[in-house]
Amino acid sequence: MLKEMRLSVTPMDAREARELAEKRHYMHRKPPVSYAYGLYRAGAPVGVVTFGVPASRHLQAGACPSRPSAVLELNRLWVSDDMPQNSESYFVSRALRRLPPRVIVSYADTMQGHMGYVYRALNFRYAGWTDMERRTARYDYVPMQPGAHTRDAWRSGVKEKVRRKPKVKYWTTTGNRSQRRRMVELCGWPSLDWKTLPPPTEHVYHPIPAAV
């Protein structure tokens, strides 16, 4: 069915990608963009995926201790609801092929009901969940302004304090076969079995296994 649609995956201008992501993605915020790709049908964009430098240097150092700058985050993915179910994996797989050798990390937001099934379909490695090494949960302050980041809560006003839900962590590598193998060797995140250690939807403490 996807072949019959004559879809194309091509680089997208960073400004256009940020604006489309802000408009269509549930977060409604512009992401940092190093690479962006659009899914086009009959010349019209029906999807966007962006990759950018993570906001946290600590995240980069953890994901690739010897080459933190080699880490990119898949920070936005949107595909139109009228596209077939497997459109997201079709789209992202083709975007990943265009990237240089990198460690790609991404998160599935359990607060939005996301568990990362798209990443599993793409054979991303599962690395557990955020704050799994903490014995107690974190809390976020929800800002009064819709769409504002939690760090802006004290400037825009605090609406409420909520217990932070975990995000499921995934990673993969890009480049040719030997480059991907090398990036796997450099990655500091573990590769876990999500069936043996399924991700929770509420905070759960679990010691982080060593990377393998």
Side-chain angles (χ1 to χ4, degrees):
M1 185 175 181
L2 288 172
K3 291 183 179 179
E4 296 173 357
M5 290 184 173
R6 297 183 180 179
L7 301 171
S8 62
V9 176
T10 59
M12 180 179 282
D13 175 75
R15 180 177 179 179
E16 180 184 0
R18 283 193 294 267
E19 291 177 349
L20 186 58
E22 181 183 33
K23 181 179 180 181
R24 297 294 188 180
H25 193 268
Y26 72 86
M27 294 182 70
H28 297 297
R29 293 200 304 268
K30 292 180 180 178
V33 175
S34 299
Y35 300 90
Y37 300 92
L39 177 65
Y40 293 88
R41 181 178 62 188
V46 292
V48 61
V49 60
T50 62
F51 304 86
V53 176
S56 170
R57 180 69 176 178
H58 176 73
L59 185 160
Q60 288 182 286
C64 194
S66 62
R67 287 183 56 191
S69 62
V71 178
L72 287 176
E73 181 180 0
L74 192 167
N75 51 28
R76 295 293 188 277
L77 172 60
W78 167 78
V79 172
S80 176
D81 290 339
D82 64 359
M83 295 294 291
Q85 188 174 6
N86 60 340
S87 298
E88 290 180 327
S89 57
Y90 169 92
F91 176 30
V92 175
S93 66
R94 283 156 179 76
L96 290 170
R97 293 174 193 170
R98 295 172 174 265
L99 293 174
R102 294 290 187 272
V103 173
I104 307 297
V105 301
S106 197
Y107 297 86
D109 191 349
T110 62
M111 182 174 288
Q112 299 294 323
H114 301 162
M115 299 302 289
Y117 298 116
V118 171
Y119 302 126
R120 295 178 194 175
L122 289 162
N123 293 319
F124 272 57
R125 296 168 185 257
Y126 166 59
W129 56 91
T130 54
D131 289 338
M132 64 189 297
E133 78 283 9
R134 286 180 58 92
R135 293 186 180 277
T136 58
R138 298 178 191 265
Y139 285 81
D140 289 322
Y141 294 93
V142 180
M144 295 292 294
Q145 181 181 348
H149 196 279
T150 54
R151 62 173 170 261
D152 299 321
W154 294 112
R155 285 182 288 182
S156 64
V158 177
K159 181 179 180 181
E160 60 180 325
K161 177 183 175 182
V162 297
R163 181 168 170 156
R164 183 179 297 181
K165 291 183 177 292
K167 293 183 180 180
V168 190
K169 300 166 60 175
Y170 293 93
W171 65 278
T172 190
T173 59
T174 56
N176 61 36
R177 182 174 298 181
S178 62
Q179 290 169 333
R180 293 197 306 271
R181 187 182 304 114
R182 176 56 179 160
M183 299 310 295
V184 168
E185 294 172 352
L186 295 178
C187 187
W189 277 14
S191 180
L192 309 176
D193 181 357
W194 61 270
K195 293 182 180 179
T196 303
L197 189 65
T201 56
E202 295 291 343
H203 176 76
V204 173
Y205 165 72
H206 193 287
I208 299 178
V212 293

